[in-house]
Amino acid sequence: MENTEHSRISEYLTILGSLSYVIIMIGAIMLLPLVLILFYKDEADQLPYFALPGVLSIFAGYLIKQFSPNHSLKDLRRHQSSVIVLLIWIVSILIGSIPFMLCGDYTFTEAIFETTSGFTTTGFTVTDVENTTHVILLYRSLLHLFGGVGLILILSSVLSNVYGMQLFSAEGHRDRLTPSLLHSARTIILIYLGFIISGTILYIVFGMSPFDALNHAICAVSTGGFSTKYQSIGYWSASLVGVANSIGIKITTIALMLLGSINFMASLLFFRGKFRDYFSHSETKVTAFAIAIATPIVVVMLLATGLCNTTLSAISDGIFQVVSLITTTGYTTVPNFVAQSSFAFVPIFLLMLIGGHSGSTSGGIKASRVAMLIKAVFYDVCEQIFPKRISFSRSINKFGKKVQITREDQSQNYAYVFTFIFIGLFGAFLLSLDGHDFGQAFFDAFSTLSTIGLSIGTVTREMSNYTMWVYTALMIIGRLEVYIVILAIARIGKDIGDGIKELRSK
Amino acid sequence: MEKFSIKRTIFNILNVVIIYILTTLLCYVSFQADVDAETLLMFYLLGILIVIIETKSFLITVFSTVLFILTHDFLFIEPHFAWGGSKNFIVSSVVFFVVALIVNLLVIRLQSQIKSSKENARLHKKLYEASEGLLSVHGKDKVIEYSDKALTELAGAEVEFYFDVDGSEKNEAIKWCFKNSAKCGHKEAEFPELSHKYIPIRSNNKTVGVVSIDCSEKEMSSETEKCITALLSQITIAIEREDLTDERKEEEKTLNHEHIVAGTIKSLSREMSPFVSSISKETKSLKENINLLEETEINEKLQGLEDNSSELTRILDNLIDLTKDE
């Protein structure tokens, strides 16, 4: 009995040891925006808010690493990897929120909400973006980048295969580009850096300032949605930068959002010129089909409601909103378009639920699950219609290859979709308890769970602490794809229960 | 003493740069918050400690200590952005420097002790695993194969066994080791110029083979050599055990065969007995009554004798065949 207790303590010490790398990494992330002080010297007063927690985090992580047992994560029990992933995210959010708290513009709850929104790439904000410092703005964007690419993935790029593989899978990544995880992680990070650099250059060409360009490139690729302007991308309207530049900015953003929402492996197929494999991939088909169906409806809605005056602007804005929704970015070019969406509300809501590809920076149910759901429903209907002697080979196309769908896969898929919807409804119920209109709470809860960050009324800078905590929980659950949070809580609960039983028996 | 490596040195310098930047940043922020310069020196001392732990290099520590003291003086001691502070600061700096060096020596010694303990623990674990494994391996070839693997893991180098040492292709060092039942090769009294070390395998005061260990890439510590000798004893016992098992099996086989042959001869004798007896009786009867018997009766008896003789010949042929099989 003593051995069991000892091994459980040893396991949690190993977990603590694995967190040391995260604490060091978050410390380093806090120091990155300080480079801006070289360009904006009047923001030197921001130095202590970032340098102090940054250096102390690195030092604390270093000390934990030195004093924690050097055990391998291979020996952890079932679902312990989920516990590590959840703890990594919670610790990252707690430490990452310190600069917000130190700068004095945020309460504890607001700081946690803003950091969670950043790391989970949701894009909700309580920051007065046009009256805050450049350092804070870049820090928010970096939160999107590191949270979007995946904290574990970044850790994996500097750690070993053995350490990272379990966590890599547990964080929701289903793909390995190359046999080596270390190599895969570095390749993925390089792909994203390439997107960000290209996006920044294009934005600058189309008339954005270098600072805004960098921030929007990071946030678009991360499918986050933080902006440096109140009107989001809509700020760079035709009247400000000209029609051509405005459309150029929209097209660049659409491209970046799509690239960010594509599965890492699918991106690689595309850039290696394997177009047949890329276009036959089930997720690509779902995304293309959804965009093709939803765009005309949204364009008609924009024209019908008078939100857009010309057909050209309705088309460009329509495509932009649809892509922004399906990639779960949440950028807008038309203010309050969801609130006035009328007949387009259902397609917009469905786009939001579908989300991007699995193993990408986007949220939602994920296109792979939707593809499997459609196939499962199709085969089930066919089996009911056709004679029993006709059997169907249930398969799905993954990266150009046919993969069999088992009954177990289907059941798991149904269960995931059901759990996702249940949590969304429960979130809406919790929000409505704070006096919000249920319709608004319903949309905003699902928008949060899908990490989109579009609100039709409940998310304001004046919202209560209770509402912010509900959103914080929904953002984490949505980003970690529901099950990890449930499994981790179950594991921790069981371990605490076992510990109490052992103490009592003594 | 670790070998000099450019990669390692660059990595160490990079570590120092990162620690230097972080420490200076922390000191700068603390200085802005009115923390006094003496306290900031403690931050630099902490930075030096981390440099020592991370780099384990005396030279880099000395260099970093000087850099950290000068930076502290330049940035945080009045007059700012100039070197040469107060008398107190110079004393503090000298103490800082001495403390850093003493800590460096202590840390390096402690780390070397830890490294050595870890290596010993690893060796003993491997020795234990190998000894345990030898108990479960059967068959001389399997034992040798397992021993090769276990010794390679233990020594961290390539290992080879030589049992048939008289073969002309073996080198002189192996033959010398086998003949004199003493170690030779790399850094030993005999054949010190060789890159391999040769250790005799002894059994019942008799040398049964030689094991060669490649020392070209890694020097073998005395502790490793002791463990190898201990494992070799275990291997010898395992080989002896297998030899004894083989001998017992061989004896059992011979006994079994003799038993079969004896049984066969016994049964053949029993089979032959009626025919010999019949021939003897028939011959006696023919000899005594040859004048009284008619020709047909004589022919019948002669036919009987011929049949019995043929049967006897067949049995004898079988016996000859059995002898041939042996």
Side-chain angles (χ1 to χ4, degrees):
Chain A
M1 178 115 20
E2 205 165 277
N3 277 343
T4 323
E5 193 183 340
H6 184 261
S7 76
R8 193 176 298 124
I9 292 168
S10 166
E11 270 174 12
Y12 276 91
L13 284 175
T14 308
I15 291 173
L16 184 70
S18 69
L19 291 179
S20 64
Y21 294 102
V22 180
I23 298 170
I24 293 173
M25 191 178 82
I26 302 298
I29 294 172
M30 280 184 222
L31 297 178
L32 288 176
L34 293 178
V35 179
L36 280 183
I37 293 175
L38 297 173
F39 305 99
Y40 302 98
K41 293 209 166 44
D42 56 320
E43 292 185 9
D45 61 321
Q46 297 290 313
L47 185 73
Y49 311 144
F50 289 86
L52 202 63
V55 177
L56 291 179
S57 294
I58 293 171
F59 183 64
Y62 180 78
L63 280 184
I64 294 170
K65 184 176 155 267
Q66 293 297 322
F67 290 106
S68 58
N70 194 20
H71 293 157
S72 168
L73 286 178
K74 277 192 298 184
D75 306 329
L76 291 176
R77 282 177 296 147
R78 205 162 168 243
H79 304 320
Q80 287 282 24
S81 47
S82 307
V83 175
I84 298 178
V85 171
L86 183 64
L87 287 180
I88 282 176
W89 276 80
I90 290 173
V91 167
S92 303
I93 289 165
L94 284 174
I95 298 174
S97 65
I98 296 173
F100 291 121
M101 286 186 250
L102 288 181
C103 75
D105 295 337
Y106 302 80
T107 63
F108 173 71
T109 306
E110 284 171 345
I112 294 286
F113 176 83
E114 190 78 15
T115 315
T116 311
S117 175
F119 272 134
T120 58
T121 71
T122 308
F124 280 145
T125 186
V126 287
T127 304
D128 185 359
V129 288
E130 290 186 12
N131 290 308
T132 193
T133 60
H134 292 86
V135 178
I136 292 267
L137 289 174
L138 183 64
Y139 180 58
R140 290 161 76 242
S141 302
L142 288 174
L143 293 182
H144 265 348
L145 176 67
F146 286 93
V149 176
L151 294 169
I152 311 296
L153 185 76
I154 292 160
L155 271 181
S156 306
S157 69
V158 288
L159 298 173
S160 68
N161 278 356
V162 177
Y163 183 86
M165 196 55 222
Q166 278 191 49
L167 307 182
F168 181 72
S169 308
E171 202 188 32
H173 304 277
R174 315 263 180 268
D175 47 282
R176 281 171 79 181
L177 309 182
T178 60
S180 152
L181 174 64
L182 200 70
H183 192 233
S184 295
R186 287 178 184 167
T187 309
I188 290 166
I189 290 166
L190 278 177
I191 289 174
Y192 276 95
L193 282 178
F195 292 160
I196 290 168
I197 293 167
S198 317
T200 306
I201 294 168
L202 284 170
Y203 277 138
I204 293 170
V205 168
F206 292 123
M208 264 195 200
S209 73
F211 178 77
D212 290 332
L214 177 67
N215 276 281
H216 283 94
I218 292 173
C219 296
V221 168
S222 313
T223 63
F226 276 157
S227 177
T228 54
K229 304 291 174 197
Y230 295 137
Q231 297 104 309
S232 186
I233 295 289
Y235 175 83
W236 287 273
S237 59
S239 56
L240 186 77
V241 287
V243 177
N245 281 347
S246 177
I247 290 177
I249 286 172
K250 281 177 198 165
I251 291 171
T252 307
T253 314
I254 288 169
L256 290 176
M257 290 190 292
L258 282 172
L259 289 170
S261 75
I262 293 171
N263 181 297
F264 298 129
M265 189 138 166
S267 301
L268 208 67
L269 285 178
F270 187 82
F271 289 106
R272 280 181 179 165
K274 294 179 180 173
F275 299 116
R276 180 178 278 189
D277 290 344
Y278 173 76
F279 286 108
S280 61
H281 179 49
S282 58
E283 288 182 301
T284 313
K285 286 180 192 165
V286 168
T287 307
F289 185 72
I291 292 173
I293 295 287
T295 304
I297 300 171
V298 173
V299 169
V300 171
M301 181 274 286
L302 288 173
L303 286 169
T305 52
L307 288 168
C308 288
N309 300 322
T310 63
T311 313
L312 182 67
S313 69
I315 291 170
S316 67
D317 287 334
I319 296 172
F320 187 94
Q321 304 312 325
V322 167
V323 172
S324 175
L325 281 165
I326 201 163
T327 59
T328 72
T329 311
Y331 273 147
T332 54
T333 51
V334 183
N336 300 322
F337 89 99
V338 180
Q340 299 176 50
S341 56
S342 62
F343 62 88
F345 183 84
V346 173
I348 285 172
F349 187 73
L350 286 176
L351 283 175
M352 197 169 80
L353 284 187
I354 293 170
H357 293 193
S358 61
S360 70
T361 63
S362 54
I365 289 174
K366 298 282 162 71
S368 59
R369 291 197 182 95
V370 174
M372 199 188 281
L373 197 71
I374 292 167
K375 284 265 179 174
V377 171
F378 171 75
Y379 287 127
D380 284 344
V381 170
C382 285
E383 278 184 356
Q384 294 295 320
I385 295 168
F386 292 102
K388 291 239 186 277
R389 61 178 180 278
I390 298 175
S391 69
F392 295 91
S393 164
R394 293 167 183 243
S395 64
I396 198 162
N397 193 309
K398 274 192 174 178
F399 311 111
K401 287 172 192 154
K402 289 265 179 197
V403 176
Q404 288 298 315
I405 313 170
T406 62
R407 295 273 177 191
E408 198 186 346
D409 292 335
Q410 273 178 230
S411 309
Q412 283 177 357
N413 204 38
Y414 285 135
Y416 180 87
V417 175
F418 172 77
T419 316
F420 187 91
I421 291 169
F422 176 78
I423 290 173
L425 288 172
F426 188 66
F429 165 71
L430 290 178
L431 288 171
S432 65
L433 290 181
D434 200 29
H436 299 292
D437 170 68
F438 188 80
Q440 289 180 338
F442 177 81
F443 183 87
D444 288 358
F446 278 99
S447 165
T448 314
L449 201 58
S450 301
T451 71
I452 292 176
L454 268 183
S455 169
I456 55 170
T458 63
V459 181
T460 59
R461 253 178 269 163
E462 291 77 33
M463 65 187 150
S464 68
N465 285 351
Y466 169 82
T467 300
M468 271 194 258
W469 282 111
V470 172
Y471 278 127
T472 304
L474 286 174
M475 286 189 271
I476 296 174
I477 293 170
R479 176 63 181 88
L480 293 183
E481 298 192 10
V482 184
Y483 278 166
I484 291 178
V485 181
I486 296 170
L487 290 175
I489 291 170
R491 179 81 256 174
I492 294 170
K494 190 176 182 302
D495 285 344
I496 292 172
D498 290 348
I500 292 168
K501 267 186 208 165
E502 278 163 27
L503 280 174
R504 275 185 187 162
S505 67
K506 275 182 187 174
Chain B
M1 193 84 175
E2 275 187 40
K3 282 181 187 172
F4 175 79
S5 142
I6 294 177
K7 200 176 164 187
R8 178 82 208 157
T9 310
I10 293 170
F11 186 70
N12 281 343
I13 291 170
L14 203 69
N15 266 336
V16 171
V17 171
I18 293 170
I19 296 163
Y20 173 75
I21 292 171
L22 292 178
T23 314
T24 307
L25 201 59
L26 186 63
C27 286
Y28 181 78
V29 173
S30 306
F31 188 67
Q32 298 289 313
D34 292 334
V35 175
D36 56 42
E38 282 74 22
T39 311
L40 298 183
L41 200 60
M42 294 296 112
F43 288 155
Y44 276 111
L45 186 60
L46 205 63
I48 287 293
L49 281 176
I50 297 172
V51 167
I52 293 168
I53 293 168
E54 289 303 308
T55 64
K56 303 172 195 86
S57 157
F58 187 77
L59 269 178
I60 288 179
T61 306
V62 172
F63 163 77
S64 316
T65 311
V66 173
L67 177 73
F68 282 32
I69 289 172
L70 288 177
T71 309
H72 180 256
D73 181 14
F74 189 75
L75 292 176
F76 307 113
I77 300 291
E78 286 186 11
H80 296 304
F81 307 111
W83 281 292
S86 68
K87 205 161 56 181
N88 281 343
F89 169 71
I90 293 166
V91 173
S92 307
S93 299
V94 171
V95 172
F96 178 99
F97 189 74
V98 174
V99 168
L101 294 190
I102 292 171
V103 171
N104 186 346
L105 285 174
L106 284 174
V107 167
I108 289 172
R109 278 187 192 167
L110 203 65
Q111 280 183 334
S112 123
Q113 292 278 336
I114 292 169
K115 198 178 166 189
S116 154
S117 313
K118 275 186 181 170
E119 176 62 11
N120 287 348
R122 186 192 73 84
L123 284 171
H124 288 114
K125 192 180 169 213
K126 288 273 171 216
L127 184 61
Y128 171 74
E129 283 171 359
S131 307
E132 205 180 28
L134 277 171
L135 290 174
S136 56
V137 179
H138 297 291
K140 197 172 174 179
D141 290 342
K142 290 266 172 65
V143 167
I144 292 169
E145 192 186 321
Y146 181 83
S147 306
D148 195 344
K149 205 175 143 196
L151 265 179
T152 306
E153 274 183 21
L154 191 70
E158 201 179 309
V159 172
E160 269 182 74
F161 282 92
Y162 299 96
F163 287 102
D164 178 24
V165 175
D166 293 333
S168 55
E169 75 278 3
K170 301 291 176 294
N171 72 31
E172 284 305 310
I174 297 173
K175 283 179 184 169
W176 188 93
C177 177
F178 187 78
K179 195 178 168 190
N180 297 285
S181 193
K183 279 188 280 186
C184 70
H186 188 70
K187 289 193 177 172
E188 293 292 335
E190 292 292 326
F191 307 103
E193 72 287 354
L194 296 178
S195 61
H196 285 64
K197 186 171 271 197
Y198 300 96
I199 303 171
I201 306 170
R202 295 191 197 95
S203 169
N204 293 330
N205 294 325
K206 192 183 149 200
T207 308
V208 293
V210 172
V211 64
S212 111
I213 299 163
D214 184 2
C215 300
S216 58
E217 285 183 11
K218 193 180 152 194
E219 285 296 323
M220 201 162 49
S221 69
S222 61
E223 194 62 33
T224 312
E225 208 171 316
K226 276 180 201 163
C227 287
I228 287 173
T229 313
L231 184 58
L232 276 176
S233 312
Q234 302 277 343
I235 292 168
T236 313
I237 293 168
I239 291 172
E240 274 175 19
R241 183 193 71 205
E242 290 311 312
D243 281 344
L244 279 172
T245 313
D246 287 349
E247 271 175 32
R248 206 181 66 228
K249 275 184 188 165
E250 197 60 38
E251 274 172 17
E252 270 175 15
K253 198 177 162 188
T254 314
L255 266 172
N256 202 22
H257 185 259
E258 279 173 7
H259 184 74
I260 291 167
V261 169
T264 314
I265 289 170
K266 202 174 166 183
S267 77
L268 283 173
S269 305
R270 277 183 190 159
E271 211 180 326
M272 282 162 76
S273 177
F275 296 111
V276 173
S277 166
S278 167
I279 289 167
S280 171
K281 277 181 189 171
E282 289 293 322
T283 316
K284 198 178 171 185
S285 158
L286 203 63
K287 194 180 167 186
E288 283 171 2
N289 307 308
I290 192 146
N291 297 324
L292 302 172
L293 296 170
E294 287 181 13
E295 198 178 341
T296 49
E297 284 175 327
I298 291 169
N299 284 339
E300 268 175 23
K301 283 194 185 288
L302 282 172
Q303 186 60 45
L305 275 173
E306 196 184 342
D307 291 345
N308 284 337
S309 301
S310 302
E311 206 54 40
L312 209 53
T313 310
R314 186 187 59 80
I315 294 166
L316 278 170
D317 281 344
N318 284 346
L319 194 61
I320 289 162
D321 284 346
L322 196 75
T323 324
K324 269 184 196 167
D325 286 345
E326 275 181 61

